[in-house]
PDB file of all heavy atoms in Angstrom:
ATOM      1  N   ILE A   2     140.691 -38.171 340.160  1.00 98.00           N
ATOM      2  CA  ILE A   2     140.131 -37.072 340.953  1.00 98.00           C
ATOM      3  C   ILE A   2     139.126 -37.602 341.986  1.00 98.00           C
ATOM      4  O   ILE A   2     138.923 -36.995 343.035  1.00 98.00           O
ATOM      5  CB  ILE A   2     139.478 -36.024 340.016  1.00 98.00           C
ATOM      6  CG1 ILE A   2     140.568 -35.318 339.195  1.00 98.00           C
ATOM      7  CG2 ILE A   2     138.663 -34.980 340.787  1.00 98.00           C
ATOM      8  CD1 ILE A   2     140.052 -34.471 338.050  1.00 98.00           C
ATOM      9  N   GLY A   3     138.507 -38.773 341.692  1.00 98.00           N
ATOM     10  CA  GLY A   3     137.591 -39.364 342.671  1.00 98.00           C
ATOM     11  C   GLY A   3     136.266 -39.841 342.111  1.00 98.00           C
ATOM     12  O   GLY A   3     135.436 -40.381 342.844  1.00 98.00           O
ATOM     13  N   PHE A   4     136.055 -39.680 340.815  1.00 98.00           N
ATOM     14  CA  PHE A   4     134.785 -40.074 340.196  1.00 98.00           C
ATOM     15  C   PHE A   4     134.829 -41.532 339.741  1.00 98.00           C
ATOM     16  O   PHE A   4     135.900 -42.121 339.582  1.00 98.00           O
ATOM     17  CB  PHE A   4     134.467 -39.162 338.998  1.00 98.00           C
ATOM     18  CG  PHE A   4     134.250 -37.735 339.390  1.00 98.00           C
ATOM     19  CD1 PHE A   4     135.294 -36.823 339.367  1.00 98.00           C
ATOM     20  CD2 PHE A   4     133.005 -37.299 339.829  1.00 98.00           C
ATOM     21  CE1 PHE A   4     135.113 -35.511 339.758  1.00 98.00           C
ATOM     22  CE2 PHE A   4     132.798 -35.987 340.217  1.00 98.00           C
ATOM     23  CZ  PHE A   4     133.857 -35.092 340.189  1.00 98.00           C
ATOM     24  N   SER A   5     133.655 -42.102 339.538  1.00 98.00           N
ATOM     25  CA  SER A   5     133.572 -43.447 338.967  1.00 98.00           C
ATOM     26  C   SER A   5     132.542 -43.434 337.845  1.00 98.00           C
ATOM     27  O   SER A   5     131.806 -42.450 337.665  1.00 98.00           O
ATOM     28  CB  SER A   5     133.215 -44.483 340.044  1.00 98.00           C
ATOM     29  OG  SER A   5     132.042 -44.093 340.735  1.00 98.00           O
ATOM     30  N   PHE A   6     132.468 -44.546 337.104  1.00 98.00           N
ATOM     31  CA  PHE A   6     131.641 -44.581 335.896  1.00 98.00           C
ATOM     32  C   PHE A   6     130.867 -45.884 335.775  1.00 98.00           C
ATOM     33  O   PHE A   6     131.306 -46.924 336.256  1.00 98.00           O
ATOM     34  CB  PHE A   6     132.530 -44.432 334.636  1.00 98.00           C
ATOM     35  CG  PHE A   6     133.234 -43.121 334.552  1.00 98.00           C
ATOM     36  CD1 PHE A   6     134.529 -42.982 335.040  1.00 98.00           C
ATOM     37  CD2 PHE A   6     132.613 -42.016 333.995  1.00 98.00           C
ATOM     38  CE1 PHE A   6     135.183 -41.767 334.972  1.00 98.00           C
ATOM     39  CE2 PHE A   6     133.259 -40.796 333.918  1.00 98.00           C
ATOM     40  CZ  PHE A   6     134.553 -40.671 334.403  1.00 98.00           C
ATOM     41  N   GLU A   7     129.736 -45.780 335.106  1.00 98.00           N
ATOM     42  CA  GLU A   7     129.023 -46.961 334.614  1.00 98.00           C
ATOM     43  C   GLU A   7     129.038 -46.862 333.088  1.00 98.00           C
ATOM     44  O   GLU A   7     128.647 -45.835 332.528  1.00 98.00           O
ATOM     45  CB  GLU A   7     127.580 -46.993 335.131  1.00 98.00           C
ATOM     46  CG  GLU A   7     127.473 -47.345 336.605  1.00 98.00           C
ATOM     47  CD  GLU A   7     126.039 -47.276 337.116  1.00 98.00           C
ATOM     48  OE1 GLU A   7     125.140 -46.904 336.320  1.00 98.00           O
ATOM     49  OE2 GLU A   7     125.820 -47.569 338.306  1.00 98.00           O
ATOM     50  N   LYS A   8     129.501 -47.931 332.430  1.00 97.00           N
ATOM     51  CA  LYS A   8     129.649 -47.879 330.975  1.00 97.00           C
ATOM     52  C   LYS A   8     128.820 -48.958 330.297  1.00 97.00           C
ATOM     53  O   LYS A   8     128.694 -50.070 330.810  1.00 97.00           O
ATOM     54  CB  LYS A   8     131.129 -48.093 330.588  1.00 97.00           C
ATOM     55  CG  LYS A   8     132.077 -47.046 331.140  1.00 97.00           C
ATOM     56  CD  LYS A   8     133.523 -47.352 330.768  1.00 97.00           C
ATOM     57  CE  LYS A   8     134.471 -46.327 331.418  1.00 97.00           C
ATOM     58  NZ  LYS A   8     135.893 -46.587 331.096  1.00 97.00           N
ATOM     59  N   THR A   9     128.236 -48.601 329.137  1.00 97.00           N
ATOM     60  CA  THR A   9     127.679 -49.597 328.226  1.00 97.00           C
ATOM     61  C   THR A   9     128.409 -49.402 326.888  1.00 97.00           C
ATOM     62  O   THR A   9     129.323 -48.579 326.800  1.00 97.00           O
ATOM     63  CB  THR A   9     126.162 -49.437 328.024  1.00 97.00           C
ATOM     64  OG1 THR A   9     125.920 -48.240 327.270  1.00 97.00           O
ATOM     65  CG2 THR A   9     125.426 -49.347 329.358  1.00 97.00           C
ATOM     66  N   SER A  10     127.978 -50.099 325.853  1.00 95.00           N
ATOM     67  CA  SER A  10     128.703 -50.004 324.583  1.00 95.00           C
ATOM     68  C   SER A  10     128.687 -48.582 324.010  1.00 95.00           C
ATOM     69  O   SER A  10     129.650 -48.157 323.375  1.00 95.00           O
ATOM     70  CB  SER A  10     128.140 -50.993 323.571  1.00 95.00           C
ATOM     71  OG  SER A  10     126.752 -50.793 323.410  1.00 95.00           O
ATOM     72  N   HIS A  11     127.591 -47.827 324.211  1.00 96.00           N
ATOM     73  CA  HIS A  11     127.523 -46.478 323.627  1.00 96.00           C
ATOM     74  C   HIS A  11     127.083 -45.411 324.624  1.00 96.00           C
ATOM     75  O   HIS A  11     126.670 -44.322 324.223  1.00 96.00           O
ATOM     76  CB  HIS A  11     126.577 -46.466 322.423  1.00 96.00           C
ATOM     77  CG  HIS A  11     127.081 -47.285 321.276  1.00 96.00           C
ATOM     78  ND1 HIS A  11     128.214 -46.952 320.569  1.00 96.00           N
ATOM     79  CD2 HIS A  11     126.628 -48.434 320.729  1.00 96.00           C
ATOM     80  CE1 HIS A  11     128.439 -47.858 319.631  1.00 96.00           C
ATOM     81  NE2 HIS A  11     127.490 -48.771 319.708  1.00 96.00           N
ATOM     82  N   SER A  12     127.140 -45.718 325.928  1.00 98.00           N
ATOM     83  CA  SER A  12     126.777 -44.695 326.920  1.00 98.00           C
ATOM     84  C   SER A  12     127.780 -44.703 328.069  1.00 98.00           C
ATOM     85  O   SER A  12     128.519 -45.673 328.265  1.00 98.00           O
ATOM     86  CB  SER A  12     125.355 -44.918 327.452  1.00 98.00           C
ATOM     87  OG  SER A  12     125.334 -45.971 328.394  1.00 98.00           O
ATOM     88  N   LEU A  13     127.779 -43.601 328.802  1.00 98.00           N
ATOM     89  CA  LEU A  13     128.721 -43.432 329.908  1.00 98.00           C
ATOM     90  C   LEU A  13     128.046 -42.586 330.981  1.00 98.00           C
ATOM     91  O   LEU A  13     127.584 -41.485 330.705  1.00 98.00           O
ATOM     92  CB  LEU A  13     129.987 -42.726 329.394  1.00 98.00           C
ATOM     93  CG  LEU A  13     131.104 -42.437 330.389  1.00 98.00           C
ATOM     94  CD1 LEU A  13     131.694 -43.726 330.933  1.00 98.00           C
ATOM     95  CD2 LEU A  13     132.195 -41.606 329.713  1.00 98.00           C
ATOM     96  N   THR A  14     127.966 -43.122 332.201  1.00 98.00           N
ATOM     97  CA  THR A  14     127.358 -42.386 333.309  1.00 98.00           C
ATOM     98  C   THR A  14     128.429 -42.020 334.320  1.00 98.00           C
ATOM     99  O   THR A  14     129.190 -42.885 334.786  1.00 98.00           O
ATOM    100  CB  THR A  14     126.255 -43.217 333.994  1.00 98.00           C
ATOM    101  OG1 THR A  14     125.221 -43.495 333.037  1.00 98.00           O
ATOM    102  CG2 THR A  14     125.637 -42.457 335.172  1.00 98.00           C
ATOM    103  N   LEU A  15     128.504 -40.727 334.645  1.00 98.00           N
ATOM    104  CA  LEU A  15     129.427 -40.221 335.662  1.00 98.00           C
ATOM    105  C   LEU A  15     128.767 -40.336 337.027  1.00 98.00           C
ATOM    106  O   LEU A  15     127.620 -39.903 337.202  1.00 98.00           O
ATOM    107  CB  LEU A  15     129.755 -38.752 335.363  1.00 98.00           C
ATOM    108  CG  LEU A  15     130.631 -38.015 336.380  1.00 98.00           C
ATOM    109  CD1 LEU A  15     132.096 -38.399 336.202  1.00 98.00           C
ATOM    110  CD2 LEU A  15     130.476 -36.495 336.240  1.00 98.00           C
ATOM    111  N   LEU A  16     129.479 -40.929 337.992  1.00 98.00           N
ATOM    112  CA  LEU A  16     128.962 -41.061 339.360  1.00 98.00           C
ATOM    113  C   LEU A  16     129.736 -40.118 340.277  1.00 98.00           C
ATOM    114  O   LEU A  16     130.959 -39.978 340.140  1.00 98.00           O
ATOM    115  CB  LEU A  16     129.096 -42.508 339.845  1.00 98.00           C
ATOM    116  CG  LEU A  16     128.388 -43.551 338.958  1.00 98.00           C
ATOM    117  CD1 LEU A  16     128.720 -44.960 339.405  1.00 98.00           C
ATOM    118  CD2 LEU A  16     126.877 -43.323 338.957  1.00 98.00           C
ATOM    119  N   PRO A  17     129.041 -39.456 341.217  1.00 98.00           N
ATOM    120  CA  PRO A  17     129.689 -38.421 342.040  1.00 98.00           C
ATOM    121  C   PRO A  17     130.864 -38.954 342.862  1.00 98.00           C
ATOM    122  O   PRO A  17     130.967 -40.153 343.133  1.00 98.00           O
ATOM    123  CB  PRO A  17     128.557 -37.930 342.949  1.00 98.00           C
ATOM    124  CG  PRO A  17     127.307 -38.303 342.232  1.00 98.00           C
ATOM    125  CD  PRO A  17     127.609 -39.563 341.500  1.00 98.00           C
ATOM    126  N   ALA A  18     131.745 -38.026 343.249  1.00 98.00           N
ATOM    127  CA  ALA A  18     132.923 -38.356 344.065  1.00 98.00           C
ATOM    128  C   ALA A  18     132.678 -37.981 345.520  1.00 98.00           C
ATOM    129  O   ALA A  18     131.907 -37.055 345.807  1.00 98.00           O
ATOM    130  CB  ALA A  18     134.133 -37.591 343.530  1.00 98.00           C
ATOM    131  N   LYS A  19     133.335 -38.695 346.448  1.00 97.00           N
ATOM    132  CA  LYS A  19     133.261 -38.312 347.873  1.00 97.00           C
ATOM    133  C   LYS A  19     134.107 -37.067 348.121  1.00 97.00           C
ATOM    134  O   LYS A  19     133.726 -36.160 348.846  1.00 97.00           O
ATOM    135  CB  LYS A  19     133.749 -39.473 348.751  1.00 97.00           C
ATOM    136  CG  LYS A  19     132.802 -40.672 348.787  1.00 97.00           C
ATOM    137  CD  LYS A  19     133.272 -41.705 349.813  1.00 97.00           C
ATOM    138  CE  LYS A  19     132.257 -42.823 349.966  1.00 97.00           C
ATOM    139  NZ  LYS A  19     132.125 -43.662 348.766  1.00 97.00           N
ATOM    140  N   HIS A  20     135.281 -37.038 347.531  1.00 97.00           N
ATOM    141  CA  HIS A  20     136.173 -35.868 347.595  1.00 97.00           C
ATOM    142  C   HIS A  20     136.727 -35.627 346.206  1.00 97.00           C
ATOM    143  O   HIS A  20     136.928 -36.575 345.446  1.00 97.00           O
ATOM    144  CB  HIS A  20     137.353 -36.111 348.553  1.00 97.00           C
ATOM    145  CG  HIS A  20     136.938 -36.452 349.950  1.00 97.00           C
ATOM    146  ND1 HIS A  20     136.473 -35.507 350.829  1.00 97.00           N
ATOM    147  CD2 HIS A  20     136.915 -37.640 350.604  1.00 97.00           C
ATOM    148  CE1 HIS A  20     136.176 -36.101 351.974  1.00 97.00           C
ATOM    149  NE2 HIS A  20     136.426 -37.393 351.864  1.00 97.00           N
ATOM    150  N   LEU A  21     137.030 -34.360 345.897  1.00 98.00           N
ATOM    151  CA  LEU A  21     137.666 -34.041 344.616  1.00 98.00           C
ATOM    152  C   LEU A  21     139.160 -33.836 344.862  1.00 98.00           C
ATOM    153  O   LEU A  21     139.576 -32.836 345.441  1.00 98.00           O
ATOM    154  CB  LEU A  21     137.040 -32.786 343.992  1.00 98.00           C
ATOM    155  CG  LEU A  21     135.829 -33.017 343.077  1.00 98.00           C
ATOM    156  CD1 LEU A  21     134.677 -33.647 343.817  1.00 98.00           C
ATOM    157  CD2 LEU A  21     135.390 -31.719 342.424  1.00 98.00           C
ATOM    158  N   ASN A  22     139.964 -34.836 344.458  1.00 98.00           N
ATOM    159  CA  ASN A  22     141.405 -34.785 344.685  1.00 98.00           C
ATOM    160  C   ASN A  22     142.086 -33.897 343.654  1.00 98.00           C
ATOM    161  O   ASN A  22     141.672 -33.856 342.492  1.00 98.00           O
ATOM    162  CB  ASN A  22     142.006 -36.196 344.574  1.00 98.00           C
ATOM    163  CG  ASN A  22     141.344 -37.176 345.512  1.00 98.00           C
ATOM    164  OD1 ASN A  22     141.184 -36.890 346.693  1.00 98.00           O
ATOM    165  ND2 ASN A  22     140.951 -38.332 344.998  1.00 98.00           N
ATOM    166  N   PRO A  23     143.157 -33.195 344.056  1.00 98.00           N
ATOM    167  CA  PRO A  23     143.924 -32.422 343.072  1.00 98.00           C
ATOM    168  C   PRO A  23     144.640 -33.371 342.113  1.00 98.00           C
ATOM    169  O   PRO A  23     144.758 -34.573 342.369  1.00 98.00           O
ATOM    170  CB  PRO A  23     144.908 -31.626 343.928  1.00 98.00           C
ATOM    171  CG  PRO A  23     145.062 -32.434 345.179  1.00 98.00           C
ATOM    172  CD  PRO A  23     143.745 -33.118 345.403  1.00 98.00           C
ATOM    173  N   PHE A  24     145.151 -32.835 341.008  1.00 98.00           N
ATOM    174  CA  PHE A  24     145.713 -33.704 339.966  1.00 98.00           C
ATOM    175  C   PHE A  24     146.815 -32.980 339.205  1.00 98.00           C
ATOM    176  O   PHE A  24     146.983 -31.764 339.317  1.00 98.00           O
ATOM    177  CB  PHE A  24     144.611 -34.135 338.991  1.00 98.00           C
ATOM    178  CG  PHE A  24     143.890 -32.981 338.340  1.00 98.00           C
ATOM    179  CD1 PHE A  24     144.370 -32.403 337.167  1.00 98.00           C
ATOM    180  CD2 PHE A  24     142.737 -32.443 338.924  1.00 98.00           C
ATOM    181  CE1 PHE A  24     143.721 -31.330 336.587  1.00 98.00           C
ATOM    182  CE2 PHE A  24     142.075 -31.359 338.340  1.00 98.00           C
ATOM    183  CZ  PHE A  24     142.577 -30.803 337.171  1.00 98.00           C
ATOM    184  N   GLU A  25     147.546 -33.764 338.427  1.00 98.00           N
ATOM    185  CA  GLU A  25     148.541 -33.205 337.504  1.00 98.00           C
ATOM    186  C   GLU A  25     148.230 -33.700 336.102  1.00 98.00           C
ATOM    187  O   GLU A  25     147.841 -34.849 335.912  1.00 98.00           O
ATOM    188  CB  GLU A  25     149.959 -33.643 337.902  1.00 98.00           C
ATOM    189  CG  GLU A  25     150.427 -33.004 339.193  1.00 98.00           C
ATOM    190  CD  GLU A  25     151.894 -33.303 339.492  1.00 98.00           C
ATOM    191  OE1 GLU A  25     152.573 -33.894 338.618  1.00 98.00           O
ATOM    192  OE2 GLU A  25     152.348 -32.951 340.602  1.00 98.00           O
ATOM    193  N   ILE A  26     148.382 -32.793 335.128  1.00 98.00           N
ATOM    194  CA  ILE A  26     148.125 -33.135 333.726  1.00 98.00           C
ATOM    195  C   ILE A  26     149.302 -32.662 332.884  1.00 98.00           C
ATOM    196  O   ILE A  26     149.818 -31.550 333.082  1.00 98.00           O
ATOM    197  CB  ILE A  26     146.824 -32.456 333.213  1.00 98.00           C
ATOM    198  CG1 ILE A  26     145.585 -33.221 333.678  1.00 98.00           C
ATOM    199  CG2 ILE A  26     146.827 -32.322 331.692  1.00 98.00           C
ATOM    200  CD1 ILE A  26     144.282 -32.520 333.356  1.00 98.00           C
ATOM    201  N   ILE A  27     149.722 -33.511 331.954  1.00 98.00           N
ATOM    202  CA  ILE A  27     150.635 -33.090 330.890  1.00 98.00           C
ATOM    203  C   ILE A  27     149.916 -33.379 329.578  1.00 98.00           C
ATOM    204  O   ILE A  27     149.536 -34.522 329.305  1.00 98.00           O
ATOM    205  CB  ILE A  27     151.969 -33.868 330.934  1.00 98.00           C
ATOM    206  CG1 ILE A  27     152.693 -33.606 332.259  1.00 98.00           C
ATOM    207  CG2 ILE A  27     152.847 -33.486 329.754  1.00 98.00           C
ATOM    208  CD1 ILE A  27     153.923 -34.477 332.474  1.00 98.00           C
ATOM    209  N   THR A  28     149.685 -32.351 328.774  1.00 96.00           N
ATOM    210  CA  THR A  28     148.989 -32.575 327.498  1.00 96.00           C
ATOM    211  C   THR A  28     149.962 -33.181 326.497  1.00 96.00           C
ATOM    212  O   THR A  28     151.106 -32.738 326.370  1.00 96.00           O
ATOM    213  CB  THR A  28     148.417 -31.264 326.913  1.00 96.00           C
ATOM    214  OG1 THR A  28     149.490 -30.382 326.591  1.00 96.00           O
ATOM    215  CG2 THR A  28     147.480 -30.589 327.900  1.00 96.00           C
ATOM    216  N   THR A  29     149.505 -34.219 325.823  1.00 95.00           N
ATOM    217  CA  THR A  29     150.318 -34.861 324.783  1.00 95.00           C
ATOM    218  C   THR A  29     149.393 -35.324 323.657  1.00 95.00           C
ATOM    219  O   THR A  29     148.167 -35.232 323.766  1.00 95.00           O
ATOM    220  CB  THR A  29     151.079 -36.096 325.314  1.00 95.00           C
ATOM    221  OG1 THR A  29     150.139 -37.012 325.881  1.00 95.00           O
ATOM    222  CG2 THR A  29     152.118 -35.735 326.348  1.00 95.00           C
ATOM    223  N   GLU A  30     149.995 -35.835 322.608  1.00 95.00           N
ATOM    224  CA  GLU A  30     149.210 -36.355 321.491  1.00 95.00           C
ATOM    225  C   GLU A  30     148.442 -37.606 321.931  1.00 95.00           C
ATOM    226  O   GLU A  30     148.801 -38.259 322.903  1.00 95.00           O
ATOM    227  CB  GLU A  30     150.127 -36.704 320.301  1.00 95.00           C
ATOM    228  CG  GLU A  30     150.838 -35.510 319.689  1.00 95.00           C
ATOM    229  CD  GLU A  30     152.143 -35.151 320.376  1.00 95.00           C
ATOM    230  OE1 GLU A  30     152.515 -35.823 321.375  1.00 95.00           O
ATOM    231  OE2 GLU A  30     152.812 -34.201 319.929  1.00 95.00           O
ATOM    232  N   TYR A  31     147.393 -37.945 321.193  1.00 96.00           N
ATOM    233  CA  TYR A  31     146.607 -39.149 321.451  1.00 96.00           C
ATOM    234  C   TYR A  31     147.535 -40.368 321.404  1.00 96.00           C
ATOM    235  O   TYR A  31     148.401 -40.439 320.552  1.00 96.00           O
ATOM    236  CB  TYR A  31     145.512 -39.279 320.383  1.00 96.00           C
ATOM    237  CG  TYR A  31     144.517 -40.374 320.651  1.00 96.00           C
ATOM    238  CD1 TYR A  31     143.419 -40.142 321.453  1.00 96.00           C
ATOM    239  CD2 TYR A  31     144.694 -41.640 320.111  1.00 96.00           C
ATOM    240  CE1 TYR A  31     142.501 -41.151 321.704  1.00 96.00           C
ATOM    241  CE2 TYR A  31     143.791 -42.657 320.363  1.00 96.00           C
ATOM    242  CZ  TYR A  31     142.689 -42.399 321.166  1.00 96.00           C
ATOM    243  OH  TYR A  31     141.786 -43.410 321.424  1.00 96.00           O
ATOM    244  N   PRO A  32     147.414 -41.321 322.323  1.00 96.00           N
ATOM    245  CA  PRO A  32     146.329 -41.504 323.302  1.00 96.00           C
ATOM    246  C   PRO A  32     146.548 -40.811 324.643  1.00 96.00           C
ATOM    247  O   PRO A  32     145.912 -41.163 325.627  1.00 96.00           O
ATOM    248  CB  PRO A  32     146.309 -43.027 323.474  1.00 96.00           C
ATOM    249  CG  PRO A  32     147.734 -43.431 323.298  1.00 96.00           C
ATOM    250  CD  PRO A  32     148.331 -42.487 322.298  1.00 96.00           C
ATOM    251  N   GLY A  33     147.460 -39.824 324.701  1.00 97.00           N
ATOM    252  CA  GLY A  33     147.680 -39.076 325.937  1.00 97.00           C
ATOM    253  C   GLY A  33     146.558 -38.097 326.217  1.00 97.00           C
ATOM    254  O   GLY A  33     145.529 -38.089 325.536  1.00 97.00           O
ATOM    255  N   PHE A  34     146.757 -37.242 327.221  1.00 98.00           N
ATOM    256  CA  PHE A  34     145.700 -36.306 327.623  1.00 98.00           C
ATOM    257  C   PHE A  34     145.579 -35.188 326.573  1.00 98.00           C
ATOM    258  O   PHE A  34     146.568 -34.527 326.241  1.00 98.00           O
ATOM    259  CB  PHE A  34     145.995 -35.703 328.995  1.00 98.00           C
ATOM    260  CG  PHE A  34     144.821 -34.937 329.533  1.00 98.00           C
ATOM    261  CD1 PHE A  34     143.855 -35.568 330.302  1.00 98.00           C
ATOM    262  CD2 PHE A  34     144.643 -33.584 329.234  1.00 98.00           C
ATOM    263  CE1 PHE A  34     142.746 -34.877 330.768  1.00 98.00           C
ATOM    264  CE2 PHE A  34     143.535 -32.890 329.686  1.00 98.00           C
ATOM    265  CZ  PHE A  34     142.580 -33.543 330.462  1.00 98.00           C
ATOM    266  N   PRO A  35     144.363 -34.957 326.045  1.00 96.00           N
ATOM    267  CA  PRO A  35     144.223 -34.012 324.923  1.00 96.00           C
ATOM    268  C   PRO A  35     144.345 -32.540 325.341  1.00 96.00           C
ATOM    269  O   PRO A  35     143.767 -32.116 326.335  1.00 96.00           O
ATOM    270  CB  PRO A  35     142.811 -34.306 324.393  1.00 96.00           C
ATOM    271  CG  PRO A  35     142.086 -34.962 325.521  1.00 96.00           C
ATOM    272  CD  PRO A  35     143.110 -35.650 326.368  1.00 96.00           C
ATOM    273  N   THR A  36     145.096 -31.798 324.550  1.00 94.00           N
ATOM    274  CA  THR A  36     145.221 -30.355 324.788  1.00 94.00           C
ATOM    275  C   THR A  36     143.855 -29.669 324.742  1.00 94.00           C
ATOM    276  O   THR A  36     143.633 -28.667 325.426  1.00 94.00           O
ATOM    277  CB  THR A  36     146.195 -29.722 323.769  1.00 94.00           C
ATOM    278  OG1 THR A  36     146.311 -28.323 324.035  1.00 94.00           O
ATOM    279  CG2 THR A  36     145.735 -29.910 322.333  1.00 94.00           C
ATOM    280  N   ASP A  37     142.927 -30.227 323.953  1.00 94.00           N
ATOM    281  CA  ASP A  37     141.593 -29.625 323.831  1.00 94.00           C
ATOM    282  C   ASP A  37     140.739 -29.793 325.088  1.00 94.00           C
ATOM    283  O   ASP A  37     139.626 -29.279 325.152  1.00 94.00           O
ATOM    284  CB  ASP A  37     140.842 -30.224 322.629  1.00 94.00           C
ATOM    285  CG  ASP A  37     141.256 -29.576 321.311  1.00 94.00           C
ATOM    286  OD1 ASP A  37     142.007 -28.585 321.348  1.00 94.00           O
ATOM    287  OD2 ASP A  37     140.832 -30.064 320.254  1.00 94.00           O
TER     288      ASP A  37
END
């Protein structure tokens, strides 16, 4: 969608996007995209 991240072993920082791109999702079982 356009976001980026900074990760450590137990933390995650979301960094803003320049544009929010549209997307497609198909929900599937793990490790796929979660229905929840």
Side-chain angles (χ1 to χ4, degrees):
I2 292 168
F4 296 93
S5 53
F6 296 94
E7 287 176 358
K8 299 178 184 180
T9 70
S10 55
H11 294 294
S12 77
L13 179 64
T14 298
L15 176 78
L16 303 173
K19 290 187 174 67
H20 302 284
L21 271 62
N22 304 311
F24 57 87
E25 291 187 7
I26 281 173
I27 298 172
T28 64
T29 56
E30 295 86 359
Y31 188 86
F34 190 89
T36 181
D37 279 353

